[in-house]
Amino acid sequence: MKIAIIEAKKAEQKAEVPIGALLVAENEEILSETHNQTITLNDPTAHAEILALREGAQKTRNPRLLNTTLYVTIEPCLMCMGAIVHARISKLVFGAKDPKWGGAGSLYNLANDNRLNHKVEIIEGVCEEECRFLMQAFFRQKR
């Protein structure tokens, strides 16, 4: 999670929402580490999670990222959770909840929807205070 937090700080330096992500294989190889880049890339889908999945799929040459863990500083939104389920991520570890957009338990819980054919194990609250502080400080500055 510490690497994801470093990535979130990189996003903040670019005036992007400070969210970072890290995708790790079962053998602990880092497949990708990235941060939000929606403004930088002029791409509404360039969330940290989406970019991490894209890079991981390219690196493994497989759109199915089986037996991987995705670390994210903030609970993924619905778009990102949909992509996480499609990619067959085994485990999602996130820092702080997102009560307005969260797709992993706060607003919706796509990870455990019985209508979907893949379940994602979720671990929440890792480095929660630090992750929450980054977001709160960012939005305080914006206002």
Side-chain angles (χ1 to χ4, degrees):
M1 185 61 81
K2 292 295 184 185
I3 294 171
I5 291 169
I6 291 168
E7 287 294 323
K9 290 176 181 177
K10 289 179 186 177
E12 184 177 37
Q13 292 169 354
K14 297 177 181 179
E16 298 273 5
V17 175
I19 298 174
L22 175 76
L23 182 64
V24 180
E26 187 175 36
N27 66 1
E28 298 186 16
E29 175 190 4
I30 294 175
L31 299 175
S32 62
E33 49 190 282
T34 190
H35 53 273
N36 271 13
Q37 296 184 61
T38 59
I39 296 166
T40 303
L41 299 175
N42 293 309
D43 180 354
T45 69
H47 290 196
E49 301 93 326
I50 299 294
L51 297 174
L53 297 180
R54 287 177 184 160
E55 189 176 319
Q58 289 296 313
K59 190 169 189 176
T60 62
R61 296 177 180 220
N62 191 337
R64 301 288 181 246
L65 297 166
L66 303 170
N67 303 313
T68 59
T69 301
L70 181 65
Y71 296 85
V72 186
T73 55
I74 301 297
E75 178 183 0
C77 71
L78 290 171
M79 173 185 70
C80 293
M81 277 308 302
I84 289 165
V85 171
H86 276 290
R88 307 299 193 271
I89 299 294
S90 298
K91 186 186 302 183
L92 168 67
V93 179
F94 70 85
K97 288 187 171 215
D98 184 349
K100 293 183 180 179
W101 288 94
S106 290
L107 188 60
Y108 293 97
N109 193 347
L110 290 182
N112 290 316
D113 189 322
N114 289 328
R115 295 168 292 182
L116 302 175
N117 65 345
H118 179 70
K119 303 285 182 265
V120 180
E121 177 186 350
I122 296 178
I123 298 172
E124 61 182 70
V126 176
C127 300
E128 181 177 6
E129 288 182 32
E130 188 173 2
C131 294
R132 184 182 310 112
F133 176 79
L134 278 171
M135 289 291 280
Q136 290 173 339
F138 176 81
F139 285 110
R140 256 195 305 266
Q141 277 187 331
K142 289 284 186 192
R143 296 181 183 120

